[in-house]
């Protein structure tokens, strides 16, 4: 069976323990490769390599740094189909989605930061008649990047690219549930001629390899995307060590539908926002609040469209939804559907797992599920499910909609559907979220700040925000 390898000091190598974990294909429920079960020894080697590489990499000319990052992007592009197949097989997402979103966006991340590093600049401040201050933006040193399983290469590259662009060396860990495209990326980095030690990729468990990265005193900054509970643990370890922290955590995003919206488009995009990637996107609009006057009409149209979604083999071009990422996650999602019925929810469609035939007979599939009749304060409407489950709730007034939207501990993203521009602006100001989409969902511009408030995280990624995170600002004051 194929063994995935760590990428340390420019070479692919086995974990020092020689221990491996099983890597499952969610669509079949079968083990198809082995992931290194790395430990502190591997992390130490990676950090040593990164420290050794830092002096040269941090002084590499901007054009040279840009060219190597473009080569990495081209390397992914040249092996596009292989990356797409690997992402789909590892995560359970459909081939179409991996080809339309994950892999193109990972390529864009490298291209974007390759170009951004040429334009990143620091401020200067004149104190009239007295002094001039200028700011140096210096790379931090060795940084840790840890990412989740839902958008594996896309989120991994969203961290690695700005960290490298600003002259840092990186020790990165993908989720051990979806390691394969990170492994392919390490091959691409070797092919592209990235200097040894600049990027190191360690595979393994969060509590072991991940924790070893977080705890290490030489890791000066940590960029983490994952669950809120894990984020809390990471902050508890890293904060007393005064590490810089960027935490992109969970969400329970509201989708506010007003009677004056463009109805057809709102229904279509709300289905997309609910069920893309099996609902396993931190930005998914999992709570839909609908103005009461169109509630029944919206519900009927929404459920009708959801019923047309085909859940099937991710390799099948006709499938709209693939498999849930793991058996444990499938069970978690099903337990929330059970909870919803206990809390008095009415299941309008779905509400159960699906058994497919043939190759996918043992895979992890759940029917897209729509629930109504739940109080907005109940657990189903307050906790992150992170699967193909969405709730519908009517509202009477704008104020009520805002209260319901802001009632959760999370504050990542939101959507507002209305043709009343004044109302859209008014609500956008009041919504507690890092991102507000008006008449759209997941429309992406790489220059914008990305991140959440409340339990959805600390700090922002994207554009120059990430480059600021991965640099230390040093003010230099020169007296006239
Ligand atoms: P987890 O928090 O379980 O894991 C995320 C990563 O952290 C994995 O690589 C994991 O490794 C690792 N990890 C776990 N424990 C530790 C530790 N103690 N120290 C260091 N690393 C650790 O999240 P999931 O992978 O389950 O991803 C789903 C979550 O991610 C959802 O809550 C979702 O909302 C959130 N998310 C947030 C996004 C955002 O931008 N705000 C975007 C995408 C997802 P391992 O896999 O081995 O446990």
């Amino acid at each position: 069976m194929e063994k995935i390898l760590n990428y340390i000091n420019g070479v692919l190598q086995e974990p020092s323990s020689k221990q491996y974990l099983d890597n499952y294909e969610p669509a079949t429920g079968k083990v198809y490769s082995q992931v290194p079960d790395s430990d502190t020894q591997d992390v130490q080697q990676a950090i040593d390599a990164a420290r050794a590489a830092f002096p040269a990499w941090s002084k590499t000319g901007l054009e040279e740094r840009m060219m190597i990052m473009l080569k990495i992007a081209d390397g992914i592009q040249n092996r596009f189909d292989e990356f797409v197949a690997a992402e789909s097989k590892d995560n359970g997402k459909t081939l179409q989605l991996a080809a339309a979103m994950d892999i193109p966006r990972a390529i864009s991340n490298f291209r974007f930061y390759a170009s951004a590093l040429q334009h990143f600049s620091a401020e200067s401040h004149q104190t009239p008649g007295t002094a001039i201050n200028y700011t140096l933006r210096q790379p931090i040193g060795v940084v840790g990047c840890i990412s989740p399983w839902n958008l594996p290469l896309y989120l991994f590259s969203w961290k690695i690219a700005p960290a490298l662009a600003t002259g840092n060396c990186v020790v990165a860990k993908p989720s051990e549930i979806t390691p394969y495209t990170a492994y392919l990326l390490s091959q691409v980095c070797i092919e592209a001629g990235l200097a040894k030690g600049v990027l190191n990729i360690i595979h393994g468990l969060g509590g072991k390899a991940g924790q070893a990265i977080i705890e290490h005193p030489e890791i000066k900054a940590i960029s983490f995307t994952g669950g809120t509970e894990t984020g809390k643990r990471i902050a508890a370890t890293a904060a007393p060590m005064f590490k810089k922290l960027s935490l992109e955590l969970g969400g329970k995003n509201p989708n506010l539908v007003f009677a004056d919206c463009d109805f057809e488009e709102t229904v279509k995009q709300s289905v997309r926002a609910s069920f893309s990637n099996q609902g396993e996107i931190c930005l998914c609009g999992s709570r839909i609040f609908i103005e009461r006057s169109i509630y029944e009409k919206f519900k009927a149209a929404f459920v009708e469209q959801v019923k047309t979604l085909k859940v099937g083999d991710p390799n099948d071009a006709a499938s709209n939804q693939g498999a849930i990422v793991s058996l444990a996650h499938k069970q978690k999602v099903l337990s929330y559907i059970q909870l919803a019925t206990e809390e008095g929810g009415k299941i309008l469609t779905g509400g159960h797992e699906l058994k497919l035939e043939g190759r996918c007979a043992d895979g992890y599939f759940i029917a897209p599920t729509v629930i109504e009749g739940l109080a907005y304060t109940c657990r189903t409407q307050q906790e992150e499910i992170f699967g193909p489950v969405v709730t519908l709730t009517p509202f009477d007034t704008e104020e009520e909609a805002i209260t319901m939207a802001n009632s959760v501990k999370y504050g990542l993203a939101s959507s507002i559907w209305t043709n009343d521009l004044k109302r859209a602006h008014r609500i956008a100001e009041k919504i507690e979220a890092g991102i507000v989409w008006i008449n759209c969902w997941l429309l992406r511009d790489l220059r914008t700040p990305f991140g959440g408030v409340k339990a959805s995280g600390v700090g922002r990624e994207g554009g120059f925000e990430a480059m600021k995170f991965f640099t230390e600002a040093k003010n230099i004051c020169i007296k006239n």
Side-chain angles (χ1 to χ4, degrees):
M1 186 165 302
E2 188 181 9
K3 282 184 173 164
I4 289 170
L5 298 169
N6 285 332
Y7 172 49
I8 300 176
N9 205 21
V11 293
L12 298 173
Q13 61 182 61
E14 290 205 278
S16 41
S17 66
K18 305 281 188 287
Q19 297 298 306
Y20 286 82
L21 306 160
D22 288 337
N23 186 25
Y24 288 82
E25 178 179 6
T28 61
K30 301 212 167 34
V31 176
Y32 82 97
S33 62
Q34 302 272 296
V35 199
D37 183 7
S38 306
D39 58 27
T40 46
Q41 262 184 284
D42 305 291
V43 170
Q44 187 61 53
Q45 276 184 35
I47 290 173
D48 291 344
R51 285 187 71 195
F54 180 68
W57 178 250
S58 57
K59 290 188 181 56
T60 303
L62 295 185
E63 188 159 337
E64 194 182 329
R65 219 185 280 166
M66 176 185 78
M67 292 309 293
I68 187 86
M69 289 184 63
L70 290 175
K71 264 182 144 179
I72 294 171
D74 290 346
I76 303 172
Q77 184 75 62
N78 294 340
R79 294 170 67 175
F80 189 83
D81 292 345
E82 197 184 344
F83 271 89
V84 166
E87 204 69 297
S88 167
K89 189 168 188 171
D90 233 10
N91 172 273
K93 65 181 72 213
T94 62
L95 278 177
Q96 290 108 288
L97 188 69
M101 183 171 77
D102 295 76
I103 305 308
R105 288 185 173 195
I107 295 168
S108 302
N109 289 343
F110 277 105
R111 291 200 174 133
F112 176 82
Y113 280 108
S115 134
L117 70 85
Q118 296 266 32
H119 304 282
F120 186 48
S121 60
E123 312 87 51
S124 86
H125 301 90
Q126 213 171 352
T127 315
T130 313
I132 183 154
N133 292 269
Y134 67 91
T135 307
L136 280 185
R137 286 245 159 225
Q138 296 178 304
I140 294 171
V142 182
V143 300
C145 297
I146 298 189
S147 58
W149 48 255
N150 64 324
L151 304 169
L153 190 67
Y154 172 176
L155 295 179
F156 202 50
S157 55
W158 190 228
K159 299 179 178 310
I160 290 171
L164 296 181
T166 41
N168 298 283
C169 292
V170 176
V171 177
K173 191 193 91 63
S175 170
E176 105 281 355
I177 298 168
T178 52
Y180 207 95
T181 46
Y183 176 48
L184 292 180
L185 175 67
S186 52
Q187 295 173 12
V188 162
C189 289
I190 294 169
E191 288 157 12
L194 182 66
K196 63 180 187 176
V198 171
L199 171 63
N200 304 274
I201 300 176
I202 300 283
H203 297 274
L205 296 167
K208 197 166 163 185
Q211 189 68 23
I213 296 172
I214 301 301
E215 283 173 359
H216 202 289
E218 286 301 330
I219 297 283
K220 304 291 185 197
I222 298 156
S223 176
F224 168 81
T225 298
T228 294
E229 283 309 309
T230 317
K232 240 190 234 176
R233 278 203 297 283
I234 289 174
T237 306
M241 299 173 84
F242 306 111
K243 297 181 183 220
K244 258 185 131 176
L245 273 178
S246 168
L247 302 173
E248 300 294 339
L249 309 176
K252 185 77 175 175
N253 309 303
N255 190 5
L256 306 186
V257 178
F258 286 87
D260 64 355
C261 67
D262 288 332
F263 188 78
E264 303 298 326
E265 179 67 5
T266 303
V267 172
K268 185 173 156 205
Q269 294 303 329
S270 296
V271 171
R272 200 180 133 244
S274 304
F275 298 109
S276 287
N277 204 42
Q278 300 73 243
E280 297 165 335
I281 300 182
C282 53
L283 307 165
C284 276
S286 53
R287 295 179 297 147
I288 310 183
F289 299 106
I290 305 132
E291 195 163 0
R292 198 177 297 275
S293 59
I294 60 159
Y295 182 80
E296 291 301 328
K297 182 180 168 200
F298 181 92
K299 177 173 99 179
F302 184 80
V303 170
E304 190 186 318
Q305 277 199 27
V306 173
K307 283 183 174 166
T308 67
L309 293 177
K310 183 173 182 291
V311 180
D313 188 336
N315 293 343
D316 182 350
S319 300
N320 305 112
Q321 266 199 57
I324 301 297
V325 74
S326 67
L327 183 57
H329 193 58
K330 183 188 84 171
Q331 280 159 349
K332 178 190 156 185
V333 175
L334 290 173
S335 76
Y336 269 104
I337 295 172
Q338 172 66 26
L339 174 71
T341 55
E342 286 162 16
E343 290 184 317
K346 180 177 170 201
I347 293 176
L348 300 171
T349 183
H352 51 83
E353 66 180 304
L354 288 171
K355 286 283 166 207
L356 304 190
E357 288 178 353
R359 189 183 93 87
C360 297
D362 295 322
Y364 320 133
F365 296 89
I366 296 181
T369 299
V370 184
I371 306 170
E372 71 167 353
L374 287 166
Y376 73 92
T377 48
C378 73
R379 282 185 57 203
T380 311
Q381 290 234 54
Q382 292 285 313
E383 297 176 16
E384 185 183 42
I385 301 173
F386 214 54
V389 180
V390 69
T391 52
L392 308 186
T393 310
F395 66 83
D396 291 301
T397 63
E398 194 177 302
E399 289 66 35
E400 193 188 2
I402 294 168
T403 301
M404 288 175 170
N406 289 342
S407 68
V408 293
K409 68 175 181 178
Y410 298 105
L412 187 53
S414 55
S415 283
I416 304 167
W417 302 90
T418 178
N419 274 312
D420 181 341
L421 195 57
K422 283 186 185 162
R423 167 161 50 207
H425 286 309
R426 209 163 46 229
I427 299 178
E429 278 190 17
K430 291 182 185 161
I431 287 260
E432 294 166 0
I435 301 157
V436 182
W437 280 296
I438 297 172
N439 297 326
C440 57
W441 178 74
L442 200 42
L443 205 56
R444 189 180 185 231
D445 183 321
L446 295 176
R447 296 165 300 178
T448 60
F450 177 91
V453 299
K454 304 198 300 194
S456 290
V458 178
R460 293 290 179 274
E461 298 191 309
F464 290 144
E465 298 282 338
M467 300 182 86
K468 285 183 179 163
F469 173 75
F470 284 117
T471 50
E472 286 288 9
K474 182 187 284 175
N475 186 66
I476 296 160
C477 175
I478 312 168
K479 193 167 183 295
N480 281 356

